[in-house]
Amino acid sequence: MSRSERLLDLIQILRRHRRPVSGRTLAGEMGVSIRTLYRDIATLQGQGAPIEGEAGLGYVLKPGFMLPPLMFTDEEIEAVVLGSRWVAKQPDRRLSAAATDALAKIAAVLPDDLREDLDATALLVGPGAEATEGIDLGLVRLAIRNERKLGFLYRDGAGAQSKRMVWPFAIGFFDKVRVMVAWCETRQDFRHFRADRMSGLNATDVRYPRRRQSLLKEWRATLDTTQAGRDASKGTGR
């Protein structure tokens, strides 16, 4: 177990005890020496954890304490690094640069032992698949954040082209394609649009009439309904 994981475990153990608990009891629960326990208590106190008490009297964690956001377990560090490295290899240049910058910012404020874990992670991202976007996905992401309508030309799988005005609320990232999820005013329904088939993007200042969270929830419900129908057709629906 790494030191960072041990500190997190100590916080969780202290949370389970509403009254002062002796250092020996804590050390026994964690499987460490009493000396290591005292050192870990001092480290957490130095990082701002409101742990009251002292050797011989017992320790208690004051209620309401929130873990510092930059205390990660080994697996959390691996997840952050792997995800950031994957995004950094995507064709969306601004998002790629943002992933690299975010990882650098996290590394800059991590404790030394965690920073070493960050640099030494053995999880790697393979070469990205060749993908060509017909539009600037940065504009799509901006429209989603601001809940603004988007206009564009769309070419379907058969090559037929149509003009669309949509309410974008999500983007799906796949190995070879990016897919925008939106409410389409032309079709009056939810639609999925491949970014490589979109062109002539027109980012408007018109706010669409529904909240993004509401659209996302309703769209997910349609997926659940579709899946339930497929299960029923196979005789597995409940």
Side-chain angles (χ1 to χ4, degrees):
M1 178 187 295
S2 70
R3 184 163 181 266
S4 60
E5 287 182 303
R6 195 172 70 241
L7 293 176
L8 287 173
D9 283 349
L10 178 54
I11 287 290
Q12 294 305 113
I13 291 173
L14 284 168
R15 277 180 167 160
R16 293 200 298 266
H17 294 278
R18 296 182 178 276
R19 296 182 178 180
V21 57
S22 71
R24 291 197 178 279
T25 298
L26 291 171
E29 287 193 44
M30 296 185 63
V32 299
S33 68
I34 189 67
R35 183 177 179 180
T36 296
L37 185 280
Y38 289 152
R39 187 167 58 246
D40 288 349
I41 289 284
T43 296
L44 289 172
Q45 289 174 328
Q47 293 178 353
I51 300 173
E52 297 182 343
E54 58 184 75
L57 297 177
Y59 298 92
V60 64
L61 178 68
K62 294 178 64 176
F65 173 66
M66 300 296 292
L67 285 173
L70 292 174
M71 291 182 66
F72 295 111
T73 65
D74 289 342
E75 288 189 340
E76 287 171 344
I77 286 178
E78 289 179 340
V80 168
V81 174
L82 186 63
S84 297
R85 287 177 174 173
W86 185 85
V87 173
K89 290 194 174 185
Q90 299 308 300
D92 186 331
R93 294 181 180 178
R94 278 182 282 186
L95 199 61
S96 172
T100 302
D101 291 344
L103 197 57
K105 288 179 180 179
I106 292 173
V109 295
L110 281 174
D112 291 341
D113 59 330
L114 291 185
R115 189 180 304 115
E116 291 176 2
D117 291 342
L118 191 76
D119 294 334
T121 179
L123 302 185
L124 307 176
V125 178
E130 292 294 329
T132 302
E133 311 293 8
I135 56 170
D136 181 355
L137 280 178
L139 295 178
V140 177
R141 289 188 286 104
L142 183 62
I144 291 174
R145 286 198 298 270
N146 295 332
E147 300 181 342
R148 296 297 190 267
K149 293 184 180 184
L150 282 177
F152 57 91
L153 296 176
Y154 192 68
R155 174 178 48 82
D156 64 20
Q161 187 167 270
S162 60
K163 189 175 182 179
R164 304 296 182 97
M165 181 63 70
V166 304
W167 311 346
F169 58 87
I171 300 177
F173 287 79
F174 300 90
D175 285 341
K176 296 183 179 181
V177 297
R178 307 326 137 210
V179 177
M180 180 183 70
V181 187
W183 173 267
C184 179
E185 293 186 351
T186 303
R187 300 292 186 252
Q188 286 295 295
D189 201 355
F190 294 111
R191 287 292 185 269
H192 304 146
F193 301 96
R194 286 179 46 156
D196 58 332
R197 295 178 179 174
M198 298 168 63
S199 62
L201 189 66
N202 175 30
T204 77
D205 291 326
V206 180
R207 190 182 190 95
Y208 49 73
R210 304 266 310 274
R211 296 307 307 272
R212 172 167 50 88
Q213 293 88 341
S214 176
L215 290 169
L216 186 60
K217 183 178 180 179
E218 187 177 333
W219 169 72
R220 284 173 172 164
T222 66
L223 297 182
D224 292 340
T225 300
T226 300
Q227 184 61 50
R230 290 173 179 170
D231 290 341
S233 68
K234 296 178 182 178
T236 60
R238 297 180 180 179

